[in-house]
Amino acid sequence: MRTRTRRAAAVATAAAALLGLAAPGAVADERRLPDPAPGGPQRPYEPDVTGPRNIDTLSATITPDGGTAHGGTAHGGTAHGVHVAFDRTSRAEPAGPPAAARRFVFLFDASLRFRPDAFPTCARTTIEQHGVHACPQGSRIGRGTSHTYPEGTAEVYAFNTRHPGGTRGALVVVPAASTILELTWERVTPHYQRAGYRWALDEILPPTATPPDQRVGTRRFELTWGATRRTGDGRPVSFAETTARPGTELGIGLWSEFVTGQTVLPETTAVRP
C-alpha cells in the first residue's frame, strides 16, 4: 500500500475531526453535514418525502492531460494539467431504486485549480435549440456516463458556461434524457477549507412534474473533469491543474442531498501520478 503523505494524512485528520468520520474514506453522519456551498443559487423548496436510505460510495482518479506544465504559479510550485475523474455508486437500503437527488457538490482538493476563463463557453439556449454538437469547439470540459436503475447507460457531457448575470460554471447534459443541469463554481466554506478543499462545483437538480417520491436516482454516475486546448500563440492550456507533487494523495469528495432530506459525503483520495 502506498504510504500516505504527511499532507494527505493531515487533510484526512482534519476532515475526520470536522465531519465526524470514523476513518478516512468513511461517510460522515448525515445529520451533521454542513452545506459546502450555501452561498450559491438556491433550489426551489420541496418538502422532504419518505423514501429509502441511500448508501453512496466514491472513487476517483487523477491522470495527466498532456497539456499545461509550467512553474511560477500564484499558489507556488509547478502546475501540471490533469483530468479529475469522479465515479459515484448509489444503492438503496435494504433494496430497490435509490432516492433521487436534489443537489450534488463536487469537492476538489486545495491543490487543484481551474481555468474556465481560458476556454470558450456554451450557452444553455444553444444546447436547448441545437443540441450539444452546436457548442463552440473547445467548450466541452468533461464527459462521463450515467447508469440508470435498474439497467442502461447514457452519455454525459459537461460544458464550460457563463450563466446569466456573469457567474461562471458548467452545464452537465444528458442528451438521451433531455436533461441540462446548471452548476456554479463556489469557494467552499471555512469548514471544508480546513478539511483540505478549496473549489466546488455546485449542481442543482431542479424539481420536475414527477412527484419526488416517484423519482428514481442513478445507480452509478461517472464524470471526468478536464480538457486541453491551444491558445492563439499555440501554447497548450489545461482546464484543470494541480501544484501537487507526484505521489501526493489529493482529497476528492461529493456532498449529496436527496429528496428524502438525507445528506451524504463519500470521500476518497486520488494519487497525483
Side-chain angles (χ1 to χ4, degrees):
M1 179 180 295
R2 180 184 295 270
T3 301
R4 294 177 61 87
T5 63
R6 289 196 296 176
R7 179 183 178 282
V11 168
T13 300
L18 170 65
L19 302 176
L21 301 183
V27 178
D29 182 348
E30 59 208 41
R31 296 179 180 275
R32 302 173 59 187
L33 286 175
D35 189 330
Q42 301 300 300
R43 185 182 189 273
Y45 172 76
E46 277 187 322
D48 296 344
V49 297
T50 301
R53 180 173 181 267
N54 284 4
I55 307 297
D56 280 25
T57 60
L58 180 69
S59 62
T61 57
I62 294 176
T63 55
D65 67 4
T68 308
H70 59 79
T73 69
H75 305 293
T78 299
H80 293 267
V82 293
H83 293 291
V84 184
F86 285 73
D87 187 349
R88 163 193 172 263
T89 61
S90 188
R91 64 177 178 84
E93 188 183 64
R102 288 174 176 161
R103 283 176 64 205
F104 291 117
V105 182
F106 296 85
L107 299 169
F108 298 95
D109 188 273
S111 73
L112 289 162
R113 69 172 192 172
F114 301 87
R115 304 186 65 183
D117 57 313
F119 284 73
T121 60
C122 187
R124 180 182 183 123
T125 53
T126 298
I127 298 173
E128 290 174 334
Q129 296 171 12
H130 306 291
V132 295
H133 299 296
C135 286
Q137 183 177 2
S139 62
R140 182 168 64 81
I141 55 169
R143 189 167 185 173
T145 305
S146 175
H147 301 254
T148 55
Y149 181 89
E151 58 184 15
T153 61
E155 290 290 316
V156 178
Y157 302 91
F159 293 91
N160 191 34
T161 198
R162 188 184 286 272
H163 299 294
T167 304
R168 289 196 180 275
L171 298 172
V172 167
V173 187
V174 188
S178 299
T179 299
I180 303 175
L181 302 175
E182 298 182 353
L183 296 76
T184 56
W185 284 108
E186 306 289 343
R187 283 269 193 170
V188 300
T189 63
H191 296 287
Y192 288 86
Q193 291 175 22
R194 289 193 290 271
Y197 301 112
R198 176 180 288 120
W199 286 105
L201 270 170
D202 186 357
E203 176 180 279
I204 291 178
L205 287 73
T208 68
T210 303
D213 59 350
Q214 296 178 27
R215 299 173 200 157
V216 177
T218 54
R219 59 187 172 90
R220 185 180 179 188
F221 195 83
E222 302 169 89
L223 185 55
T224 297
W225 298 98
T228 60
R229 64 182 295 266
R230 290 192 177 273
T231 60
D233 60 4
R235 290 183 298 108
V237 60
S238 297
F239 181 77
E241 298 177 343
T242 182
T243 55
R245 294 181 177 181
T248 301
E249 290 185 336
L250 278 61
I252 301 293
L254 184 61
W255 185 95
S256 307
E257 180 185 18
F258 304 102
V259 295
T260 57
Q262 178 192 9
T263 57
V264 299
L265 176 57
E267 296 182 283
T268 188
T269 58
V271 176
R272 163 27 181 129

